[in-house]
Amino acid sequence: MQQAMNAIKTAQSTPRSVSVDEGMSISQAFKICFCFKRIFKLKVSEPPDDIRRLFAQYAEDGSMSPEQLHKFMMEYQGENNATIEDAQAVFNSLKLLSVFQRRGLNLDAFFQYLFGDLNSPLPPHPKVHHDMKAPLAHYFLYASHNSYLTGNQLNSPSSTEPIISALKRGVRVIELDLWPSKTGDVEVCHGGTMTSPVELIKCLEAIKENAFAATEYPVIITFEDHLDAQLQAKVAKMVTETFGEMLFLPGCEFLKEVPSPEYLRRKIIISTKPPHEALDDTKKKENLQKDKDPMQISEYDEDEDHEEKAVPQYKSLIAIRAGKLKGGLQRMLTVDPGKVRRLSLSELQLEHAIKDHGTDIVRFTQHNILRIYPKGMRIRSSNYNPMTGWMHGAQMVAVNMQGFDKHLWVTHGMFRANGGCGYVKKPNFMLNVDNGVFDPRSFRPVKTTLKVKVYMGDGWRFDFRRKHFDRFSPPDFFTKVQIFGVPADEAKEKTEPIEDEWIPTWNQEFEFPLTVPELALLRIEAREYDLDGRHDFGGQTCLPISELRTGIRAVPLYNRKGEKYRSVKLLMGFQFFPVLC
């Protein structure tokens, strides 16, 4: 009941994205040259035919009672756990609006509910619902790359602000590059570039204060250290004093497996390669050029000479040891049941490796940790397709949070699942070897078909200036719909542009056969059509298909930075049709 009341408050405090004539005249004038004006009549927001039919089916005498709304929520929307209190909460949320009638919901009020905040495409009150007691290797983790950078990878400042922002979003893996400063201290920066540094202690304090702002599940700090023994000892002291009891200490040189996220609640975990002497200048240059050779691995050998010179205090902090075994890729992917380790591959190394060793990588990640990071040429902080790593079992698919592109949005979408806690459990078929190791490229039958209907959109008129999209006319919106998943499931469609309308109505339907729906994501993007092909951005979102609610839903859109627009939404329909054997 309390959740229902909270939902009421949210609905009442959020501006409506649908109204007949709110905040706009019935026409708009756009000046052409100096003397002429173009006058456009503005269409009001009206319920699509499907909603009219549904209202007629469930209402009686033009009015819908709470009991009838509850029946609609159960039968058509697939909300099997909906209660009469939930239906009453919808009524209460509409009481202050002009469309509400005391005897029940009329068509306009029903439409207002369907296009409102209470009717989201994902569960409105996200909860952690995956099993969180499995070893950490059984989960995908929300991971960031060069977490301290504020912009591009070449000359942007380093700061604690990106770290804080990532943690508040729910990111669970933070990367810090450790370098000696000119004053003999430790600083964090992107080595070999013109990026300005930030003090390590400031980063550690920022992590301590914000690690569990969004979720209580553990935060992993990956160190890429370029320090001598003296500075490693200094880092060990700094980390220990900053985190205190928050720090997870393994108590042994090698963990047999990393404990579960549940066991590690509110813990900070350190992952790095074993201690070693400072790299000489040649090694540094080779490391910075690692992406020129697709199969040059970023981690260093677990050399016995290094182990002898190890700083004990620093070494004792490492819960997840990074490193590689000497030899080729097959040797590197060897699984030792008595030791868990982390291997890092660039996106280029992964692409090369999966050609001949795809199932070996999946097998490796059933016990060990695999981290994927962007290639060095992504100077503008762009990103690669994270699905390539996920479908091969990589737990830490690290992305540039500074690069606001579709692959970052896909990453955000992936981790909207499981209550947004930053951990998404792998499907069982990726962990089970009884029926063979999962191969994302192999043929498999269609499990289900997702039918997506794009009805209409609204809200741009409230969130954008009148001439934001076009100086001489109202915008021409269209919507793109795309599936990210295993190769067999990837697909994309788009609606036709609707000319000169702030409230476009498309009523277009698309079908997407899915062979591995457990990994699939639905990406949605609105654009404003331009003849030159440089279509203006109008909002985006990405939804995990495993948690998608069926029925007619109001889909809120987000800006490039992943911030939700105040009013912009799409009205869409989702239905699953399982394939009968």
Side-chain angles (χ1 to χ4, degrees), residues 66-68 70 82-89:
E67 291 75 19
Q68 290 165 331
H70 180 232
T83 65
I84 191 66
E85 287 80 11
D86 295 327
Q88 188 62 53

Side-chain angles (χ1 to χ4, degrees), residues 440-459:
R441 296 174 298 177
S442 66
F443 172 80
R444 50 182 57 83
V446 172
K447 281 187 180 179
T448 187
T449 296
L450 171 63
K451 183 179 290 187
V452 177
K453 189 163 187 177
V454 186
Y455 287 105
M456 60 182 294
D458 197 5

Side-chain angles (χ1 to χ4, degrees), residues 217-236:
Y217 289 103
V219 168
I220 300 173
I221 306 175
T222 62
F223 287 153
E224 290 295 326
D225 69 275
H226 308 272
L227 307 174
D228 60 22
Q230 184 179 356
L231 288 180
Q232 287 173 352
K234 194 169 186 176
V235 170

Side-chain angles (χ1 to χ4, degrees), residues 55-56 58-65 68 99 101 103-110:
F55 182 78
Y58 284 92
E60 187 175 349
D61 297 328
S63 178
M64 183 179 288
S65 68
Q68 290 165 331
V99 295
Q101 295 181 352
R103 65 191 184 92
L105 299 184
N106 61 13
L107 176 60
D108 287 339
F110 181 62

Side-chain angles (χ1 to χ4, degrees), residues 297-338:
I297 305 301
S298 64
E299 308 296 353
Y300 288 84
D301 293 336
E302 297 175 3
D303 193 287
E304 292 181 2
D305 291 338
H306 292 163
E307 294 297 313
E308 291 174 1
K309 300 172 184 177
V311 180
Q313 308 96 301
Y314 187 79
K315 187 177 178 182
S316 67
L317 299 179
I318 304 173
I320 304 175
R321 290 171 63 106
K324 68 180 180 68
L325 300 174
K326 294 181 179 180
L329 183 62
Q330 187 72 48
R331 171 72 171 155
M332 285 182 263
L333 295 173
T334 300
V335 176
D336 183 344

Side-chain angles (χ1 to χ4, degrees), residues 102-172:
R102 186 169 299 177
R103 65 191 184 92
L105 299 184
N106 61 13
L107 176 60
D108 287 339
F110 181 62
F111 179 41
Q112 181 74 56
Y113 149 65
L114 287 176
F115 217 166
D117 292 336
L118 294 182
N119 189 37
S120 59
L122 299 180
H125 309 293
K127 294 181 180 179
V128 175
H129 57 90
H130 294 178
D131 174 17
M132 303 301 288
K133 296 182 179 180
L136 190 134
H138 291 196
Y139 300 84
F140 299 120
L141 282 65
Y142 205 174
S144 64
H145 173 252
N146 288 351
S147 310
Y148 48 86
L149 288 182
T150 57
N152 66 59
Q153 304 287 308
L154 184 61
N155 59 6
S156 67
S158 301
S159 169
T160 60
E161 289 305 313
I163 296 172
I164 294 170
S165 176
L167 291 170
K168 288 184 175 180
R169 182 179 279 279
V171 170
R172 299 292 84 191

